[in-house]
Amino acid sequence: MQRVRNLIHIDVADRQMLTGYGIGVGVLDSGVELHEDIKHAVVAFRDFTSKRSSQPKDETGHGTHVCGIIAGNGISSQGRYRGIAPRAHLCVGKVLNNKGEGDVARLIEGLEWLLSAANKYNIKIINVSVSSLYFSKIEEKERVFSLFEQAFSRNILVVTAAGNSGPGGSTVSKLGDSPYVICVGCHEGKESTLFDKKCQDCSGRGPGTFVYRKPDVVAPGTDIISCAGVRQYIKKSGTSMATPIVSGVLALAYERYPYMSAQEMKRKLIRSTDDLGENFLMQGFGMINVKHLLQ
């Protein structure tokens, strides 16, 4: 995580003592285990799968890893693997089952729950690192996109993963194909040469179905170390890991600019990126840059 922090210039946020304090982040994923690093942060949990567990759980570890990237305090590693916004709080909706599978109906339930709880928990960001859901009915797509638009109108930014189906064209996740979300791809920037297998090689590419850039931005997503189980850590790669990095950065930005609208925040995030010189269908507007974002 320190490599990631250096790459996106998060030291500026550290100097401003920004930690995401008071900012709620909704996470729709495979659930969450109460790892030592994130148990302080989980303030609400709801299971939308057939099991309907009342207690936090995560059979695949995917959601726990994502939550650690956003708000882990790194206590089990003496701070080495702390997340981006360690004092943000998390509202976790389990929409994927014990095999990591789910459907759009569960996602819709999760989005509706987070929107209903947004005022109570000051939810400003919703992280959806789930890119493998497909719309089987036009009504499903219309409902999901309507909820995305509702969130945006209420100044809540939905952050979605571009998916790992690249490098072909038009492989970006359909969930990211909306003007009301921030769709995140993978890129390691200047440190790409450190990896033999980079997530940017399979990061979903645009254009999607709308006439604008998708993904919107990119962030590091290769070999990201985050929470697993109760005290352990694990290394994972993919746009699913890049997405919570952006969500965590937005939590810092909302702490700094608490009255900024979703439209203003999305514009500010996009305009603060670094152009990597890649095709825009791969990098969107570029790599997130916390230094520029907080200026």
Side-chain angles (χ1 to χ4, degrees), residues 144-175:
V144 169
F145 279 33
S146 173
L147 290 168
F148 288 166
E149 186 174 1
Q150 285 182 44
F152 197 79
S153 69
R154 294 177 57 184
N155 296 321
I156 300 168
L157 280 172
V158 178
V159 187
T160 66
N164 306 315
S165 299
S170 296
T171 52
V172 71
S173 167
K174 299 306 179 187
L175 292 179

PDB file of all heavy atoms in Angstrom, residues 144-175:
ATOM      1  N   VAL A 144     -31.178   0.022 -12.265  1.00  0.00           N
ATOM      2  CA  VAL A 144     -29.837   0.280 -11.731  1.00  0.00           C
ATOM      3  C   VAL A 144     -29.374   1.676 -12.114  1.00  0.00           C
ATOM      4  O   VAL A 144     -28.891   2.448 -11.268  1.00  0.00           O
ATOM      5  CB  VAL A 144     -28.834  -0.775 -12.233  1.00  0.00           C
ATOM      6  CG1 VAL A 144     -27.395  -0.359 -11.894  1.00  0.00           C
ATOM      7  CG2 VAL A 144     -29.128  -2.144 -11.614  1.00  0.00           C
ATOM      8  N   PHE A 145     -29.533   2.043 -13.378  1.00  0.00           N
ATOM      9  CA  PHE A 145     -29.080   3.356 -13.820  1.00  0.00           C
ATOM     10  C   PHE A 145     -29.904   4.471 -13.184  1.00  0.00           C
ATOM     11  O   PHE A 145     -29.393   5.560 -12.932  1.00  0.00           O
ATOM     12  CB  PHE A 145     -29.115   3.438 -15.344  1.00  0.00           C
ATOM     13  CG  PHE A 145     -27.911   2.810 -16.005  1.00  0.00           C
ATOM     14  CD1 PHE A 145     -27.289   1.704 -15.441  1.00  0.00           C
ATOM     15  CD2 PHE A 145     -27.405   3.313 -17.174  1.00  0.00           C
ATOM     16  CE1 PHE A 145     -26.177   1.120 -16.033  1.00  0.00           C
ATOM     17  CE2 PHE A 145     -26.293   2.744 -17.780  1.00  0.00           C
ATOM     18  CZ  PHE A 145     -25.676   1.644 -17.205  1.00  0.00           C
ATOM     19  N   SER A 146     -31.177   4.197 -12.907  1.00  0.00           N
ATOM     20  CA  SER A 146     -32.007   5.169 -12.208  1.00  0.00           C
ATOM     21  C   SER A 146     -31.496   5.392 -10.788  1.00  0.00           C
ATOM     22  O   SER A 146     -31.454   6.526 -10.293  1.00  0.00           O
ATOM     23  CB  SER A 146     -33.459   4.691 -12.169  1.00  0.00           C
ATOM     24  OG  SER A 146     -34.252   5.539 -11.365  1.00  0.00           O
ATOM     25  N   LEU A 147     -31.076   4.308 -10.118  1.00  0.00           N
ATOM     26  CA  LEU A 147     -30.530   4.430  -8.762  1.00  0.00           C
ATOM     27  C   LEU A 147     -29.190   5.158  -8.780  1.00  0.00           C
ATOM     28  O   LEU A 147     -28.890   5.938  -7.861  1.00  0.00           O
ATOM     29  CB  LEU A 147     -30.389   3.044  -8.131  1.00  0.00           C
ATOM     30  CG  LEU A 147     -31.712   2.363  -7.777  1.00  0.00           C
ATOM     31  CD1 LEU A 147     -31.486   0.892  -7.439  1.00  0.00           C
ATOM     32  CD2 LEU A 147     -32.396   3.071  -6.608  1.00  0.00           C
ATOM     33  N   PHE A 148     -28.373   4.918  -9.798  1.00  0.00           N
ATOM     34  CA  PHE A 148     -27.123   5.663  -9.947  1.00  0.00           C
ATOM     35  C   PHE A 148     -27.413   7.165 -10.065  1.00  0.00           C
ATOM     36  O   PHE A 148     -26.745   7.991  -9.446  1.00  0.00           O
ATOM     37  CB  PHE A 148     -26.357   5.196 -11.186  1.00  0.00           C
ATOM     38  CG  PHE A 148     -25.720   3.840 -11.066  1.00  0.00           C
ATOM     39  CD1 PHE A 148     -25.249   3.177 -12.191  1.00  0.00           C
ATOM     40  CD2 PHE A 148     -25.570   3.211  -9.840  1.00  0.00           C
ATOM     41  CE1 PHE A 148     -24.655   1.938 -12.093  1.00  0.00           C
ATOM     42  CE2 PHE A 148     -24.972   1.955  -9.731  1.00  0.00           C
ATOM     43  CZ  PHE A 148     -24.504   1.321 -10.870  1.00  0.00           C
ATOM     44  N   GLU A 149     -28.410   7.487 -10.875  1.00  0.00           N
ATOM     45  CA  GLU A 149     -28.763   8.889 -11.064  1.00  0.00           C
ATOM     46  C   GLU A 149     -29.326   9.497  -9.779  1.00  0.00           C
ATOM     47  O   GLU A 149     -29.026  10.648  -9.438  1.00  0.00           O
ATOM     48  CB  GLU A 149     -29.774   9.032 -12.196  1.00  0.00           C
ATOM     49  CG  GLU A 149     -30.100  10.471 -12.552  1.00  0.00           C
ATOM     50  CD  GLU A 149     -30.988  10.599 -13.766  1.00  0.00           C
ATOM     51  OE1 GLU A 149     -31.384   9.564 -14.345  1.00  0.00           O
ATOM     52  OE2 GLU A 149     -31.297  11.753 -14.133  1.00  0.00           O
ATOM     53  N   GLN A 150     -30.129   8.708  -9.038  1.00  0.00           N
ATOM     54  CA  GLN A 150     -30.656   9.189  -7.761  1.00  0.00           C
ATOM     55  C   GLN A 150     -29.524   9.498  -6.790  1.00  0.00           C
ATOM     56  O   GLN A 150     -29.544  10.524  -6.089  1.00  0.00           O
ATOM     57  CB  GLN A 150     -31.584   8.140  -7.147  1.00  0.00           C
ATOM     58  CG  GLN A 150     -32.943   8.036  -7.787  1.00  0.00           C
ATOM     59  CD  GLN A 150     -33.803   7.009  -7.071  1.00  0.00           C
ATOM     60  OE1 GLN A 150     -33.846   6.962  -5.843  1.00  0.00           O
ATOM     61  NE2 GLN A 150     -34.485   6.166  -7.835  1.00  0.00           N
ATOM     62  N   ALA A 151     -28.549   8.589  -6.729  1.00  0.00           N
ATOM     63  CA  ALA A 151     -27.402   8.809  -5.846  1.00  0.00           C
ATOM     64  C   ALA A 151     -26.687  10.104  -6.223  1.00  0.00           C
ATOM     65  O   ALA A 151     -26.373  10.938  -5.364  1.00  0.00           O
ATOM     66  CB  ALA A 151     -26.447   7.617  -5.933  1.00  0.00           C
ATOM     67  N   PHE A 152     -26.441  10.283  -7.497  1.00  0.00           N
ATOM     68  CA  PHE A 152     -25.729  11.471  -7.981  1.00  0.00           C
ATOM     69  C   PHE A 152     -26.491  12.737  -7.619  1.00  0.00           C
ATOM     70  O   PHE A 152     -25.896  13.734  -7.184  1.00  0.00           O
ATOM     71  CB  PHE A 152     -25.555  11.363  -9.500  1.00  0.00           C
ATOM     72  CG  PHE A 152     -24.513  12.275 -10.072  1.00  0.00           C
ATOM     73  CD1 PHE A 152     -23.172  11.977  -9.984  1.00  0.00           C
ATOM     74  CD2 PHE A 152     -24.879  13.447 -10.730  1.00  0.00           C
ATOM     75  CE1 PHE A 152     -22.204  12.819 -10.527  1.00  0.00           C
ATOM     76  CE2 PHE A 152     -23.936  14.301 -11.271  1.00  0.00           C
ATOM     77  CZ  PHE A 152     -22.589  13.972 -11.172  1.00  0.00           C
ATOM     78  N   SER A 153     -27.816  12.700  -7.776  1.00  0.00           N
ATOM     79  CA  SER A 153     -28.637  13.877  -7.466  1.00  0.00           C
ATOM     80  C   SER A 153     -28.621  14.189  -5.974  1.00  0.00           C
ATOM     81  O   SER A 153     -28.879  15.332  -5.570  1.00  0.00           O
ATOM     82  CB  SER A 153     -30.071  13.653  -7.941  1.00  0.00           C
ATOM     83  OG  SER A 153     -30.727  12.667  -7.161  1.00  0.00           O
ATOM     84  N   ARG A 154     -28.303  13.176  -5.158  1.00  0.00           N
ATOM     85  CA  ARG A 154     -28.208  13.375  -3.717  1.00  0.00           C
ATOM     86  C   ARG A 154     -26.758  13.582  -3.267  1.00  0.00           C
ATOM     87  O   ARG A 154     -26.427  13.479  -2.100  1.00  0.00           O
ATOM     88  CB  ARG A 154     -28.832  12.179  -2.988  1.00  0.00           C
ATOM     89  CG  ARG A 154     -30.336  12.062  -3.208  1.00  0.00           C
ATOM     90  CD  ARG A 154     -30.911  10.837  -2.542  1.00  0.00           C
ATOM     91  NE  ARG A 154     -30.633  10.797  -1.115  1.00  0.00           N
ATOM     92  CZ  ARG A 154     -30.959   9.791  -0.304  1.00  0.00           C
ATOM     93  NH1 ARG A 154     -31.608   8.749  -0.795  1.00  0.00           N
ATOM     94  NH2 ARG A 154     -30.662   9.834   0.982  1.00  0.00           N
ATOM     95  N   ASN A 155     -25.893  13.862  -4.237  1.00  0.00           N
ATOM     96  CA  ASN A 155     -24.472  14.147  -3.988  1.00  0.00           C
ATOM     97  C   ASN A 155     -23.725  12.956  -3.405  1.00  0.00           C
ATOM     98  O   ASN A 155     -22.851  13.099  -2.538  1.00  0.00           O
ATOM     99  CB  ASN A 155     -24.317  15.391  -3.104  1.00  0.00           C
ATOM    100  CG  ASN A 155     -24.829  16.631  -3.796  1.00  0.00           C
ATOM    101  OD1 ASN A 155     -24.635  16.797  -5.001  1.00  0.00           O
ATOM    102  ND2 ASN A 155     -25.504  17.495  -3.060  1.00  0.00           N
ATOM    103  N   ILE A 156     -24.085  11.768  -3.881  1.00  0.00           N
ATOM    104  CA  ILE A 156     -23.382  10.537  -3.541  1.00  0.00           C
ATOM    105  C   ILE A 156     -22.742  10.012  -4.820  1.00  0.00           C
ATOM    106  O   ILE A 156     -23.419   9.829  -5.833  1.00  0.00           O
ATOM    107  CB  ILE A 156     -24.349   9.481  -2.972  1.00  0.00           C
ATOM    108  CG1 ILE A 156     -25.025   9.999  -1.704  1.00  0.00           C
ATOM    109  CG2 ILE A 156     -23.618   8.160  -2.697  1.00  0.00           C
ATOM    110  CD1 ILE A 156     -26.189   9.138  -1.243  1.00  0.00           C
ATOM    111  N   LEU A 157     -21.438   9.760  -4.765  1.00  0.00           N
ATOM    112  CA  LEU A 157     -20.739   9.263  -5.948  1.00  0.00           C
ATOM    113  C   LEU A 157     -20.636   7.749  -5.917  1.00  0.00           C
ATOM    114  O   LEU A 157     -20.127   7.163  -4.957  1.00  0.00           O
ATOM    115  CB  LEU A 157     -19.340   9.869  -6.026  1.00  0.00           C
ATOM    116  CG  LEU A 157     -19.273  11.291  -6.596  1.00  0.00           C
ATOM    117  CD1 LEU A 157     -17.864  11.857  -6.446  1.00  0.00           C
ATOM    118  CD2 LEU A 157     -19.694  11.305  -8.062  1.00  0.00           C
ATOM    119  N   VAL A 158     -21.119   7.104  -6.972  1.00  0.00           N
ATOM    120  CA  VAL A 158     -20.976   5.664  -7.136  1.00  0.00           C
ATOM    121  C   VAL A 158     -19.690   5.410  -7.910  1.00  0.00           C
ATOM    122  O   VAL A 158     -19.471   6.005  -8.975  1.00  0.00           O
ATOM    123  CB  VAL A 158     -22.176   5.057  -7.885  1.00  0.00           C
ATOM    124  CG1 VAL A 158     -21.971   3.558  -8.087  1.00  0.00           C
ATOM    125  CG2 VAL A 158     -23.474   5.317  -7.126  1.00  0.00           C
ATOM    126  N   VAL A 159     -18.838   4.548  -7.367  1.00  0.00           N
ATOM    127  CA  VAL A 159     -17.548   4.243  -7.987  1.00  0.00           C
ATOM    128  C   VAL A 159     -17.559   2.766  -8.385  1.00  0.00           C
ATOM    129  O   VAL A 159     -17.728   1.894  -7.530  1.00  0.00           O
ATOM    130  CB  VAL A 159     -16.381   4.533  -7.022  1.00  0.00           C
ATOM    131  CG1 VAL A 159     -15.040   4.380  -7.735  1.00  0.00           C
ATOM    132  CG2 VAL A 159     -16.509   5.936  -6.425  1.00  0.00           C
ATOM    133  N   THR A 160     -17.408   2.489  -9.668  1.00  0.00           N
ATOM    134  CA  THR A 160     -17.503   1.119 -10.176  1.00  0.00           C
ATOM    135  C   THR A 160     -16.201   0.678 -10.838  1.00  0.00           C
ATOM    136  O   THR A 160     -15.411   1.502 -11.309  1.00  0.00           O
ATOM    137  CB  THR A 160     -18.643   0.995 -11.209  1.00  0.00           C
ATOM    138  OG1 THR A 160     -18.312   1.771 -12.367  1.00  0.00           O
ATOM    139  CG2 THR A 160     -19.960   1.483 -10.640  1.00  0.00           C
ATOM    140  N   ALA A 161     -16.019  -0.639 -10.895  1.00  0.00           N
ATOM    141  CA  ALA A 161     -14.839  -1.214 -11.527  1.00  0.00           C
ATOM    142  C   ALA A 161     -15.052  -1.362 -13.030  1.00  0.00           C
ATOM    143  O   ALA A 161     -16.143  -1.711 -13.485  1.00  0.00           O
ATOM    144  CB  ALA A 161     -14.536  -2.581 -10.915  1.00  0.00           C
ATOM    145  N   ALA A 162     -13.998  -1.100 -13.793  1.00  0.00           N
ATOM    146  CA  ALA A 162     -14.072  -1.231 -15.251  1.00  0.00           C
ATOM    147  C   ALA A 162     -14.109  -2.690 -15.689  1.00  0.00           C
ATOM    148  O   ALA A 162     -14.460  -2.983 -16.827  1.00  0.00           O
ATOM    149  CB  ALA A 162     -12.882  -0.524 -15.899  1.00  0.00           C
ATOM    150  N   GLY A 163     -13.749  -3.595 -14.780  1.00  0.00           N
ATOM    151  CA  GLY A 163     -13.728  -5.014 -15.114  1.00  0.00           C
ATOM    152  C   GLY A 163     -12.391  -5.458 -15.663  1.00  0.00           C
ATOM    153  O   GLY A 163     -11.532  -4.641 -16.014  1.00  0.00           O
ATOM    154  N   ASN A 164     -12.214  -6.769 -15.734  1.00  0.00           N
ATOM    155  CA  ASN A 164     -10.925  -7.355 -16.133  1.00  0.00           C
ATOM    156  C   ASN A 164     -11.034  -8.150 -17.424  1.00  0.00           C
ATOM    157  O   ASN A 164     -10.382  -9.177 -17.594  1.00  0.00           O
ATOM    158  CB  ASN A 164     -10.408  -8.254 -15.003  1.00  0.00           C
ATOM    159  CG  ASN A 164     -10.332  -7.528 -13.678  1.00  0.00           C
ATOM    160  OD1 ASN A 164      -9.851  -6.401 -13.611  1.00  0.00           O
ATOM    161  ND2 ASN A 164     -10.812  -8.157 -12.618  1.00  0.00           N
ATOM    162  N   SER A 165     -11.873  -7.672 -18.355  1.00  0.00           N
ATOM    163  CA  SER A 165     -12.108  -8.393 -19.609  1.00  0.00           C
ATOM    164  C   SER A 165     -11.331  -7.827 -20.783  1.00  0.00           C
ATOM    165  O   SER A 165     -11.538  -8.233 -21.928  1.00  0.00           O
ATOM    166  CB  SER A 165     -13.604  -8.386 -19.944  1.00  0.00           C
ATOM    167  OG  SER A 165     -14.345  -9.039 -18.936  1.00  0.00           O
ATOM    168  N   GLY A 166     -10.433  -6.853 -20.531  1.00  0.00           N
ATOM    169  CA  GLY A 166      -9.629  -6.269 -21.601  1.00  0.00           C
ATOM    170  C   GLY A 166      -8.556  -7.236 -22.079  1.00  0.00           C
ATOM    171  O   GLY A 166      -8.483  -8.374 -21.611  1.00  0.00           O
ATOM    172  N   PRO A 167      -7.723  -6.826 -23.016  1.00  0.00           N
ATOM    173  CA  PRO A 167      -7.561  -5.455 -23.493  1.00  0.00           C
ATOM    174  C   PRO A 167      -8.371  -5.088 -24.735  1.00  0.00           C
ATOM    175  O   PRO A 167      -8.120  -4.041 -25.334  1.00  0.00           O
ATOM    176  CB  PRO A 167      -6.066  -5.397 -23.814  1.00  0.00           C
ATOM    177  CG  PRO A 167      -5.757  -6.777 -24.320  1.00  0.00           C
ATOM    178  CD  PRO A 167      -6.628  -7.698 -23.503  1.00  0.00           C
ATOM    179  N   GLY A 168      -9.311  -5.895 -25.142  1.00  0.00           N
ATOM    180  CA  GLY A 168     -10.086  -5.564 -26.329  1.00  0.00           C
ATOM    181  C   GLY A 168     -10.959  -4.337 -26.127  1.00  0.00           C
ATOM    182  O   GLY A 168     -11.225  -3.919 -25.004  1.00  0.00           O
ATOM    183  N   GLY A 169     -11.413  -3.766 -27.222  1.00  0.00           N
ATOM    184  CA  GLY A 169     -12.275  -2.608 -27.148  1.00  0.00           C
ATOM    185  C   GLY A 169     -13.674  -2.969 -26.666  1.00  0.00           C
ATOM    186  O   GLY A 169     -14.118  -4.118 -26.791  1.00  0.00           O
ATOM    187  N   SER A 170     -14.357  -1.999 -26.086  1.00  0.00           N
ATOM    188  CA  SER A 170     -15.729  -2.148 -25.588  1.00  0.00           C
ATOM    189  C   SER A 170     -15.862  -3.292 -24.578  1.00  0.00           C
ATOM    190  O   SER A 170     -16.849  -4.018 -24.565  1.00  0.00           O
ATOM    191  CB  SER A 170     -16.693  -2.366 -26.760  1.00  0.00           C
ATOM    192  OG  SER A 170     -16.722  -1.230 -27.600  1.00  0.00           O
ATOM    193  N   THR A 171     -14.850  -3.448 -23.729  1.00  0.00           N
ATOM    194  CA  THR A 171     -14.873  -4.497 -22.702  1.00  0.00           C
ATOM    195  C   THR A 171     -15.124  -3.936 -21.312  1.00  0.00           C
ATOM    196  O   THR A 171     -15.097  -4.671 -20.328  1.00  0.00           O
ATOM    197  CB  THR A 171     -13.541  -5.273 -22.697  1.00  0.00           C
ATOM    198  OG1 THR A 171     -12.440  -4.341 -22.599  1.00  0.00           O
ATOM    199  CG2 THR A 171     -13.376  -6.090 -23.968  1.00  0.00           C
ATOM    200  N   VAL A 172     -15.346  -2.631 -21.214  1.00  0.00           N
ATOM    201  CA  VAL A 172     -15.601  -2.024 -19.915  1.00  0.00           C
ATOM    202  C   VAL A 172     -16.913  -2.567 -19.347  1.00  0.00           C
ATOM    203  O   VAL A 172     -17.854  -2.870 -20.090  1.00  0.00           O
ATOM    204  CB  VAL A 172     -15.645  -0.486 -20.043  1.00  0.00           C
ATOM    205  CG1 VAL A 172     -16.895  -0.020 -20.769  1.00  0.00           C
ATOM    206  CG2 VAL A 172     -15.541   0.184 -18.685  1.00  0.00           C
ATOM    207  N   SER A 173     -16.969  -2.725 -18.032  1.00  0.00           N
ATOM    208  CA  SER A 173     -18.156  -3.247 -17.368  1.00  0.00           C
ATOM    209  C   SER A 173     -19.380  -2.397 -17.694  1.00  0.00           C
ATOM    210  O   SER A 173     -19.318  -1.169 -17.721  1.00  0.00           O
ATOM    211  CB  SER A 173     -17.948  -3.259 -15.852  1.00  0.00           C
ATOM    212  OG  SER A 173     -19.158  -3.470 -15.164  1.00  0.00           O
ATOM    213  N   LYS A 174     -20.510  -3.049 -17.900  1.00  0.00           N
ATOM    214  CA  LYS A 174     -21.747  -2.330 -18.192  1.00  0.00           C
ATOM    215  C   LYS A 174     -22.196  -1.479 -17.011  1.00  0.00           C
ATOM    216  O   LYS A 174     -22.903  -0.491 -17.190  1.00  0.00           O
ATOM    217  CB  LYS A 174     -22.851  -3.320 -18.588  1.00  0.00           C
ATOM    218  CG  LYS A 174     -22.540  -4.127 -19.836  1.00  0.00           C
ATOM    219  CD  LYS A 174     -22.186  -3.242 -21.023  1.00  0.00           C
ATOM    220  CE  LYS A 174     -21.848  -4.065 -22.256  1.00  0.00           C
ATOM    221  NZ  LYS A 174     -21.341  -3.201 -23.359  1.00  0.00           N
ATOM    222  N   LEU A 175     -21.790  -1.845 -15.797  1.00  0.00           N
ATOM    223  CA  LEU A 175     -22.155  -1.039 -14.626  1.00  0.00           C
ATOM    224  C   LEU A 175     -21.478   0.326 -14.656  1.00  0.00           C
ATOM    225  O   LEU A 175     -21.965   1.280 -14.049  1.00  0.00           O
ATOM    226  CB  LEU A 175     -21.780  -1.770 -13.341  1.00  0.00           C
ATOM    227  CG  LEU A 175     -22.569  -3.035 -13.008  1.00  0.00           C
ATOM    228  CD1 LEU A 175     -22.046  -3.651 -11.715  1.00  0.00           C
ATOM    229  CD2 LEU A 175     -24.058  -2.738 -12.885  1.00  0.00           C
TER     230      LEU A 175
END
